[in-house]
Amino acid sequence: MQPLNSARKMFLYLSFFVSALGLVTAAPLREANFTYAHVPGTVPFNLKEPLQQRLAYVNSSAMHVSWNTYASLNASEASVIYGTDPFNLDLTAYATSMTYNTSRTWNHHALLTGLQPKQDYWYRVAYTNCYGCSNIPTYKFTTLREKGDTSAFSLAVVVDMGTMGADGLSDSLGPLLGGSHHIPLKKEDSNTIQSLAQSIDTYDAILHPGDIAYADYFTKESINGYFGNGSIIVNMTSVANGYETILEEYYDQITPLTATRPYMVGPGNHEANCDNGGTSDSLNNINYTVSICTPGQTNFTGYINHWRMPGNVDEVNRNFWYSYDAGMVHIVFLDTETDLGGNLTGPDEIGGSELEFSGPFGAANEQVNWLKSDLAAVDRSVTPWVVVFAHRPWYVSATNRSSTVCLDCQKAFEPTLIEYNVDLVMHGHVHAYQRNMPMKNYAIDPNGLNNPAAPLDIVNGAAGHYDGLDALLNATYYSAVQNDVTFGWSRLTFHNRTHLTHQFIASANSSVLDEVTLYKEHSF
Ligand SMILES: *[C@@H]1O[C@H](CO)[C@@H](O)[C@H](O)[C@H]1NC(C)=O
Ligand SMILES: *[C@@H]1O[C@H](CO)[C@@H](O)[C@H](O)[C@H]1NC(C)=O
Ligand SMILES: *[C@@H]1O[C@H](CO)[C@@H](O)[C@H](O)[C@H]1NC(C)=O
Ligand SMILES: *[C@@H]1O[C@H](CO)[C@@H](O)[C@H](O)[C@H]1NC(C)=O
Ligand SMILES: *[C@@H]1O[C@H](CO)[C@@H](O)[C@H](O)[C@H]1NC(C)=O
Ligand SMILES: *[C@@H]1O[C@H](CO)[C@@H](O)[C@H](O)[C@H]1NC(C)=O
Ligand SMILES: *[C@@H]1O[C@H](CO)[C@@H](O)[C@H](O)[C@H]1NC(C)=O
Ligand SMILES: *[C@@H]1O[C@H](CO)[C@@H](O)[C@H](O)[C@H]1NC(C)=O
Ligand SMILES: *[C@@H]1O[C@H](CO)[C@@H](O)[C@H](O)[C@H]1NC(C)=O
Ligand SMILES: *[C@@H]1O[C@H](CO)[C@@H](O)[C@H](O)[C@H]1NC(C)=O
Ligand SMILES: *[C@@H]1O[C@H](CO)[C@@H](O)[C@H](O)[C@H]1NC(C)=O
Ligand SMILES: *[C@@H]1O[C@H](CO)[C@@H](O)[C@H](O)[C@H]1NC(C)=O
Ligand SMILES: [Fe+2]
């Protein structure tokens, strides 16, 4: 993927005001005619061009194909043709155009059912052949392996990933940013999206438990002078446009990944509203609060509209907590932002520590009750592995404050994860890599990696975004390996019923920096 600046210079004519670094706030850029390549974050020449193709598993016989357009589509236009023979896409699934306040695009979610497990399908979204559109291939996906299938497979896990390029992680920083951990990208390094693309044949799907795009950093970036000192006036209009531009750009940037690999997401604090609960402009002594957010940029609205995770079709909480089975693995996503139950206030809720004023998405205790019944129903002789993804960590070498270490999340979830012998818990939120020992309520499991009873706990929020990385404190007693200077992602390989390997991959060159294999007897 090209850096945005040079891509824009090559492909675009600029019909509106453009700031020094190329981010448009007054109105979105429009692509030139017949470039045959869509530039991320721009409005395509043909407004019905299907963009942002993204897949999500439902189960081993169903898949969601989602995409966005810049114009509303009628019933026959909003369709996906697909089949097992690339020469004959003989099946059709339909979607409806849906939008929300401040969105400039329409979301579509087509549900493909009646599929065979572990089978290749080819698909094209309607209007792939549209006038003036970019070159869009017929994409291929593979359905989930059937529950109980013991064949080996790998997953990519990435947390805390924003846009790459001129309004995200690049080789420069805003003038107000500095310090050892506001690390810019080195010119010779691949970024995390590029590394995931280079490695695409090494995993089946991508799991992203929270902090997706960092569109809510538009305000912070403007204040920090990243778009040019004083070039952007922060107000409701510029924030609404800047947020949507970054959001659209992110979905465009990940399309080479999401069009062929299911992308399973969970909520993070940066999905909640337009400015992460508030941003201070200390130079001008202005504190921006959630009141600068237009209604479409609050309460996880963009997140809810863009994704369709497994679950009941009509339930708003489907993208917040859910589970599915992949062969011998039961995969669970939790919501650490809202709905912690037990009379706890989630950090992103009204009254929560982060002033995000969002949620709840279920009744009191709904998530924790769901978690208990979901784990109780797992037949470990069929899916011996149970792995859980939750945005915020509780075991991490960081200052013990609520915005960093989520002790309420530990209180809400850890007893249940231990009770049901969960094998692995992964988090992000802290922008660094830390592999802990298998842990149970601050106690290291005496078995270590050799058939521990407690879950292996890993934090990997090092994917990268505008702010760089976070500094960790000196390793705590339970921390086995930590790295706070390298952008990276994780690869999990389920070899068989007893062996699971975790790798920390450096985005710069896709090399493996840390590798560990967990052995579990799993004699259920
Ligand atoms: C694009 O094409 C349209 C008509 O097809 C024309 O009106 C417009 O001027 C063209 N724009 C550019 C930048 O070439
Ligand atoms: C998979 O999901 C589809 C769509 O919700 C549903 O129709 C089908 O019954 C499900 N299959 C199984 C095996 O659960
Ligand atoms: C949908 O729009 C297309 C033009 O893009 C038109 O040919 C078709 O008749 C429309 N279908 C319906 C059901 O309105
Ligand atoms: C969207 O928000 C704006 C600003 O508050 C409001 O004026 C408008 O009525 C809203 N539109 C919809 C469709 O809710
Ligand atoms: C931005 O410009 C103002 C006025 O010229 C100056 O006072 C301020 O220090 C600059 N800020 C940065 C971060 O360079
Ligand atoms: C809001 O900010 C934009 C972009 O900086 C600017 O063009 C516009 O005039 C501002 N609007 C108000 C009402 O200040
Ligand atoms: C902004 O917030 C900071 C601390 O949170 C406070 O010290 C400062 O007085 C506030 N500024 C304004 C203008 O409210
Ligand atoms: C929550 O608070 C209510 C009222 O104080 C109490 O009855 C209930 O037991 C509490 N629930 C939990 C799970 O702590
Ligand atoms: C957020 O959305 C959920 C689901 O629609 C709703 O129940 C909740 O009240 C909303 N929260 C706020 C603060 O608007
Ligand atoms: C953080 O706080 C928890 C709960 O009070 C405590 O158990 C833990 O030891 C603290 N961690 C550190 C590193 O101080
Ligand atoms: C962290 O480790 C370094 C090197 O061992 C040591 O010099 C420093 O004092 C430690 N800092 C703290 C806060 O323990
Ligand atoms: C499971 O996979 C591990 C790692 O590849 C291997 O060492 C082990 O022998 C395998 N176990 C069985 C029963 O195949
Ligand atoms: Fe976060």
Side-chain angles (χ1 to χ4, degrees):
M1 202 162 293
Q2 307 220 30
L4 196 59
N5 283 338
S6 60
R8 282 189 172 158
K9 276 179 209 136
M10 285 172 64
F11 293 120
L12 297 179
Y13 73 98
L14 309 179
S15 52
F16 300 100
F17 165 75
V18 181
S19 73
L21 270 166
L23 191 105
V24 171
T25 59
L29 283 171
R30 195 71 195 266
E31 256 178 18
N33 293 354
F34 310 122
T35 56
Y36 299 109
H38 175 65
V39 178
T42 61
V43 177
F45 171 68
N46 188 323
L47 300 181
K48 292 183 178 177
E49 177 169 353
L51 297 169
Q52 309 178 11
Q53 285 84 349
R54 52 196 187 276
L55 301 165
Y57 292 131
V58 178
N59 57 37
S60 61
S61 65
M63 183 78 87
H64 263 119
V65 176
S66 301
W67 76 99
N68 283 37
T69 55
Y70 282 79
S72 174
L73 306 179
N74 72 27
S76 59
E77 291 168 322
S79 58
V80 176
I81 53 170
Y82 64 103
T84 53
D85 177 357
F87 294 101
N88 180 24
L89 305 180
D90 54 343
L91 302 165
T92 308
Y94 295 93
T96 47
S97 280
M98 291 181 293
T99 190
Y100 57 89
N101 203 337
T102 66
S103 175
R104 299 188 299 223
T105 63
W106 275 257
N107 288 271
H108 308 87
H109 306 285
L111 177 62
L112 282 52
T113 55
L115 310 177
Q116 295 303 309
K118 208 160 66 170
Q119 165 81 45
D120 292 343
Y121 286 84
W122 282 261
Y123 76 95
R124 283 206 305 274
V125 175
Y127 282 88
T128 295
N129 57 346
C130 56
Y131 182 77
C133 290
S134 57
N135 298 329
I136 304 171
T138 298
Y139 292 117
K140 185 174 89 170
F141 65 73
T142 307
T143 47
L144 269 174
R145 57 202 68 221
E146 214 162 3
K147 182 176 177 177
D149 177 330
T150 56
S151 55
F153 70 97
S154 298
L155 296 172
V157 183
V158 67
V159 201
D160 303 305
M161 185 159 77
T163 49
M164 302 290 152
D167 52 24
L169 179 64
S170 73
D171 62 356
S172 66
L173 300 169
L176 293 181
L177 282 188
S180 60
H181 285 79
H182 290 129
I183 299 170
L185 211 56
K186 292 196 198 74
K187 288 202 192 295
E188 65 274 22
D189 286 354
S190 293
N191 64 45
T192 301
I193 293 176
Q194 289 171 323
S195 178
L196 285 164
Q198 290 155 16
S199 310
I200 199 156
D201 288 330
T202 70
Y203 53 80
D204 282 8
I206 301 172
L207 277 48
H208 188 156
D211 288 1
I212 304 163
Y214 288 83
D216 63 344
Y217 263 15
F218 172 79
T219 311
K220 184 175 183 178
E221 292 175 72
S222 305
I223 291 167
N224 282 348
Y226 186 56
F227 305 129
N229 186 5
S231 67
I232 290 175
I233 301 160
V234 174
N235 60 39
M236 212 166 199
T237 309
S238 64
V239 170
N241 283 327
Y243 180 98
E244 293 301 328
T245 302
I246 295 177
L247 206 57
E248 291 157 19
E249 186 186 341
Y250 182 81
Y251 285 102
D252 283 338
Q253 288 189 351
I254 61 171
T255 302
L257 310 174
T258 57
T260 64
R261 291 295 180 281
Y263 200 83
M264 308 304 287
V265 296
N269 50 303
H270 289 278
E271 281 70 77
N273 71 35
C274 85
D275 66 354
N276 196 28
T279 308
S280 292
D281 178 350
S282 50
L283 280 183
N284 299 302
N285 200 27
I286 306 170
N287 293 338
Y288 297 100
T289 66
V290 71
S291 68
I292 204 168
C293 302
T294 44
Q297 295 178 347
T298 60
N299 202 15
F300 290 91
T301 300
Y303 176 75
I304 290 167
N305 279 273
H306 277 82
W307 300 106
R308 284 296 174 272
M309 292 300 115
N312 293 328
V313 176
D314 297 324
E315 283 179 14
V316 71
N317 66 24
R318 65 182 306 155
N319 290 346
F320 290 81
W321 54 87
Y322 61 88
S323 68
Y324 66 98
D325 296 300
M328 54 186 161
V329 189
H330 184 68
I331 293 169
V332 178
F333 273 74
L334 295 178
D335 174 12
T336 58
E337 306 310 303
T338 68
D339 299 83
L340 299 183
N343 294 333
L344 299 166
T345 303
D348 296 355
E349 285 175 351
I350 294 170
S353 52
E354 307 215 352
L355 308 178
E356 303 262 20
F357 302 101
S358 295
F361 297 101
N365 296 317
E366 188 172 332
Q367 178 177 209
V368 286
N369 290 341
W370 171 85
L371 177 64
K372 285 175 191 160
S373 60
D374 180 79
L375 294 180
V378 175
D379 180 349
R380 299 296 282 266
S381 68
V382 178
T383 53
W385 293 103
V386 176
V387 297
V388 173
F389 299 88
H391 182 65
R392 290 175 195 250
W394 44 92
Y395 296 130
V396 65
S397 307
T399 306
N400 214 353
R401 58 170 177 247
S402 66
S403 59
T404 309
V405 183
C406 190
L407 297 173
D408 281 350
C409 302
Q410 178 183 27
K411 209 174 285 175
F413 303 127
E414 193 188 33
T416 306
L417 305 181
I418 289 166
E419 182 184 348
Y420 290 100
N421 301 302
V422 167
D423 298 299
L424 170 72
V425 187
M426 288 193 71
H427 322 256
H429 188 62
V430 172
H431 301 154
Y433 173 66
Q434 178 170 332
R435 172 161 64 77
N436 294 314
M437 313 288 199
M439 292 286 294
K440 174 181 175 168
N441 193 22
Y442 299 100
I444 297 172
D445 191 300
N447 283 3
L449 295 162
N450 185 18
N451 200 31
L456 171 60
D457 183 280
I458 295 173
V459 180
N460 186 356
H465 68 109
Y466 161 71
D467 256 355
L469 294 163
D470 290 343
L472 292 175
L473 302 179
N474 285 355
T476 42
Y477 64 94
Y478 52 75
S479 167
V481 173
Q482 57 187 49
N483 179 333
D484 61 7
V485 294
T486 309
F487 294 107
W489 51 282
S490 287
R491 185 165 49 222
L492 294 173
T493 301
F494 299 88
H495 301 283
N496 49 40
R497 295 174 58 90
T498 53
H499 288 71
L500 160 61
T501 297
H502 172 271
Q503 295 170 313
F504 176 53
I505 315 286
S507 300
N509 57 9
S510 299
S511 63
V512 177
L513 293 193
D514 179 42
E515 177 170 322
V516 75
T517 296
L518 174 68
Y519 165 73
K520 294 294 284 254
E521 198 175 287
H522 283 155
S523 54
F524 295 99

